[in-house]
Amino acid sequence: MKILVTGARGFVGRNLVAELKKRGYKDILEFDLDTEKPALEQYTKECDFVFHLAGVNRPQKEEEFMEGNFGFTSELLALLIKHNNKAPLLITSSIQAERDNPYGRSKKAGEDLLINYSKEHNIKVLIYRLPNLFGKWCRPNYNSVIATFCHNIARGLQIQIDDPEGELNLCYIDDVIRELIDALEGDPTKDGDFYTVSPTHRVKLGDLAELIRSFKESRRDLSIPDMSVPLTKKLYRTYLSYLPEKDFAYQLKMNCDQRGSFTEFIRTMNRGQISINVSKPGVTKGNHWHHTKNEKFLVVSGEGLIRFRGISASKIIEYRVSGDKLEVVDIPPGYTHSIVNLGEADLVTIMWVNECFDPEHADTYYMEV
């Protein structure tokens, strides 16, 4: 199958082409603004399916709306008709087509053109009226508020919010691409006279800004966004795609002494805390117990010994641990416990505790094993 994609280097096109290639589609005819016009003549002659994604949404002059969203569509259809090519055609329109503004009218004109083309030539046409889209590779400071918020907040730049209570209807790019490929493979989702992508998400502008700011702050407070909320999960992925390349990495505060180091890595409100503990050779750490806190230890490098004793008992329980054999050791409440480095190299342990450390309620009591 030869697949023509107009607007192939735009936001939707770039994501679509990448996914098509990942799925094994090889004959992808990519057309964009910088493609030589004669190529479109050849592409419309040989294509078996058309993704018409090209369009204008932020022109310098108002008349460019109609030129880009109606005029180019007319040109594309004329070439398909010329070559008697009855390939199915999918176009990404906009929910703005329902509105009486220059952009909406140009989108509606393009839709009407395709509807008539479908009727006159008995060709399958799929019109998707899309809401506001977001995701990786969208151009910031152009036509996407989320791209702009993510780009600016990641760089410490100001953002502008005229109406914090204003709502956005959003759709994530990966959900769009999945639906477009389903349509290519014969399983589109229809909604009345048009086709649709789900799920969509509604959010207030003020809430959106605060959520994206929290992503930046999470590097300082070591928090993790609530990934059980689909919109939050998708927005966090998107935010990371706008990080400056020099800022992919960030430092953690290492609490160091002659025994080694202890470094908090991740803190969550409802899933506890993860830390990295490094012990020098011969060093023993711990010798304390907890009323309610519980932990998990995972040695990933070195050799050690974890020892337990019930606080009212004399029996000592021992577990030898090693980075050569990954094994999680649970630390129950009511047992004083310690970990000693038996090797000649540093002992590195990942430690999870069910609640974040609160110095005012430490629930940690010294007692030697």
Side-chain angles (χ1 to χ4, degrees), residues 104-294:
R105 288 193 294 271
S106 70
K107 282 298 195 182
K108 182 65 166 60
E111 291 179 358
D112 291 343
L113 190 65
L114 282 163
I115 291 169
N116 291 332
Y117 168 76
S118 175
K119 291 178 179 178
E120 290 177 10
H121 300 276
N122 192 28
I123 294 173
K124 185 173 184 178
V125 169
L126 301 92
I127 301 173
Y128 281 83
R129 282 186 171 178
L130 301 177
N132 297 286
L133 305 184
F134 71 100
K136 66 183 184 302
W137 303 335
C138 188
R139 182 176 167 186
N141 299 303
Y142 181 61
N143 68 323
S144 166
V145 65
I146 291 181
T148 301
F149 281 7
C150 289
H151 176 273
N152 287 12
I153 289 172
R155 289 159 177 76
L157 303 176
Q158 292 293 318
I159 60 172
Q160 180 178 336
I161 303 175
D162 295 327
D163 179 14
E165 294 298 310
E167 280 197 341
L168 288 176
N169 186 22
L170 303 171
C171 193
Y172 183 53
I173 188 63
D174 287 5
D175 296 325
V176 174
I177 300 307
R178 183 183 61 250
E179 171 62 32
L180 297 189
I181 294 180
D182 283 349
L184 169 68
E185 296 176 348
D187 189 26
T189 304
K190 195 167 187 181
D191 182 17
D193 294 331
F194 301 96
Y195 293 82
T196 188
V197 178
S198 64
T200 57
H201 310 273
R202 299 197 69 86
V203 63
K204 294 180 179 179
L205 272 171
D207 294 338
L208 174 66
E210 286 306 307
L211 182 57
I212 296 175
R213 287 192 183 103
S214 77
F215 299 157
K216 182 179 178 66
E217 184 66 12
S218 69
R219 287 185 162 192
R220 187 194 65 80
D221 62 22
L222 306 183
S223 63
I224 292 293
D226 186 352
M227 297 299 175
S228 68
V229 179
L231 177 59
T232 300
K233 187 176 182 179
K234 295 169 184 178
L235 283 171
Y236 185 62
R237 296 174 192 161
T238 302
Y239 172 78
L240 292 179
S241 73
Y242 288 91
L243 287 175
E245 291 181 359
K246 66 180 180 63
D247 290 338
F248 284 4
Y250 60 102
Q251 293 186 345
L252 299 174
K253 180 186 176 184
M254 297 180 64
N255 301 288
C256 302
D257 58 24
Q258 71 280 4
R259 302 175 304 159
S261 64
F262 183 83
T263 306
E264 294 182 357
F265 173 33
I266 291 174
R267 295 170 62 95
T268 69
M269 291 299 294
N270 55 4
R271 292 293 187 272
Q273 174 179 321
I274 298 174
S275 304
I276 310 300
N277 186 74
V278 179
S279 300
K280 297 294 183 183
V283 165
T284 298
K285 288 190 176 183
N287 281 321
H288 60 238
W289 64 279
H290 314 290
H291 270 301
T292 57
K293 287 203 308 193
N294 52 89

Side-chain angles (χ1 to χ4, degrees), residues 32-46:
D32 208 273
L33 286 172
D34 57 356
T35 309
E36 296 292 335
K37 272 298 180 73
L40 189 61
E41 175 89 27
Q42 184 63 29
Y43 291 169
T44 52
K45 183 177 182 180
E46 60 187 43

